[in-house]
Amino acid sequence: KQEVTQIPAALSVPEGENLVLNCSFTDSAIYNLQWFRQDPGKGLTSLLLIQSSQREQTSGRLNASLDKSSGRSTLYIAASQPGDSATYLCAVQSSGTYKYIFGTGTRLKVLA
Amino acid sequence: DAGVIQSPRHEVTEMGQEVTLRCKPISGHDYLFWYRQTMMRGLELLIYFNNNVPIDDSGMPEDRFSAKMPNASFSTLKIQPSEPRDSAVYFCASSFGQVGYTFGSGTRLTVV
C-alpha cells in the first residue's frame, strides 16, 4: 500500500530565502508525482507534475525533482515571497491506477 | 471552461439529516474523483468513476456514504444519516485519463 510522507509539517522562513520541501513514498512503482498548492479555505492548484521517466520539472521559481528508486521528491522554491505562503501537498499516482495518494502537506509561511 | 464546479460551498446540517454534495466535472473529462480532507487524516480518496462507472469505492468509510454519476456532467455524494464525524471539506476532481487533474473549490460540511 502506497504511503506518502512530507517533511517538515510546517516551515516559517524570512522573505528571500531559498527552501526545500521533502516528500517520500513507499512504493516506487509510480506513474507520476504531482505537487499541489492549497491556500486556506481553497481548493488545490497543480504546480508541477513529474512523470516517472523524468528527473525534474521547473516552473518559474519552482523546481521539483524525483528520485523514483529511493522514493523521494523535493520541491525547491527560490527567493521565497510572502505570496508563497500556503500548504504544499505532494501526491503520487501509482502505476495501473488513476487515483492520487496525498501526503499530509507542509504548511509554509514566508515572513515579510 | 469554468473548471470543476461544486455545490454548495458550505453546508451546515444537524446530525441524522441527509446531505447531498454535487459536482460538475470539466467537460470532456472521463474520470471523476471524490476526496475528503480533515486535519487528522489529510486528503483521502473516497471513490472514483470512469465514464460514469464507479471503479474504486474502497475509500468510502461506511454504508452511510453513497455516490452516483448519472451522466458525464454530474455526480453526487450523499451521506445518510450524517454524523458529526463526517464534518470535513469534500473535494471533487476530474481528469482526462491521467492528465489534467483539476480540483473543485470544495464543500465545507459541518454536522452539528
Side-chain angles (χ1 to χ4, degrees):
Chain A
K1 180 186 170 186
Q2 180 72 270
E3 293 182 2
V4 182
T5 304
Q6 290 186 246
I7 295 174
L11 184 62
S12 185
V13 300
E15 182 177 8
E17 271 203 11
N18 302 324
L19 57 99
V20 175
L21 308 182
N22 296 291
C23 172
S24 61
F25 47 95
T26 55
D27 184 353
S28 61
I30 67 170
Y31 182 72
N32 64 50
L33 182 147
Q34 194 159 183
W35 283 92
F36 291 86
R37 169 183 171 142
Q38 186 176 26
D39 293 285
K42 301 288 179 62
L44 280 71
T45 301
S46 176
L47 297 173
L48 290 164
L49 184 149
I50 311 177
Q51 299 290 350
S52 62
S53 58
Q54 298 175 319
R55 298 284 296 190
E56 65 178 315
Q57 281 286 336
T58 298
S59 175
R61 296 182 295 107
L62 305 180
N63 175 277
S65 68
L66 174 64
D67 184 342
K68 202 172 66 164
S69 61
S70 67
R72 294 177 190 275
S73 175
T74 62
L75 178 67
Y76 175 82
I77 303 177
S80 58
Q81 303 171 356
D84 295 330
S85 298
T87 296
Y88 291 80
L89 294 147
C90 165
V92 171
Q93 194 174 54
S94 296
S95 299
T97 179
Y98 289 82
K99 61 185 181 184
Y100 276 97
I101 304 299
F102 281 81
T104 50
T106 294
R107 193 169 58 255
L108 173 66
K109 182 177 284 190
V110 181
L111 306 170
Chain B
D1 199 319
V4 176
I5 299 173
Q6 292 187 245
S7 63
R9 288 298 309 275
H10 302 275
E11 177 81 38
V12 180
T13 191
E14 291 185 350
M15 183 174 63
Q17 296 297 307
E18 177 180 294
V19 175
T20 300
L21 311 182
R22 298 172 176 78
C23 175
K24 181 181 185 324
I26 290 176
S27 177
H29 280 189
D30 56 350
Y31 282 84
L32 184 139
F33 307 82
W34 282 101
Y35 285 87
R36 178 173 67 175
Q37 187 176 39
T38 61
M39 289 291 292
M40 291 297 295
R41 301 173 67 92
L43 261 167
E44 304 172 282
L45 178 69
L46 300 177
I47 185 172
Y48 76 94
F49 296 82
N50 174 223
N51 291 325
N52 314 337
V53 176
I55 302 300
D56 184 348
D57 66 354
S58 59
M60 296 287 261
E62 45 197 281
D63 292 345
R64 297 184 297 106
F65 286 69
S66 63
K68 293 182 180 179
M69 193 165 185
N71 57 62
S73 59
F74 183 65
S75 177
T76 59
L77 178 68
K78 186 176 293 186
I79 308 173
Q80 166 63 16
S82 58
E83 297 182 3
R85 60 195 170 111
D86 302 330
S87 297
V89 181
Y90 291 81
F91 287 102
C92 175
S94 70
S95 69
F96 179 69
Q98 290 176 304
V99 298
Y101 219 94
T102 305
F103 278 79
S105 299
T107 294
R108 181 174 296 277
L109 173 65
T110 303
V111 183
V112 298

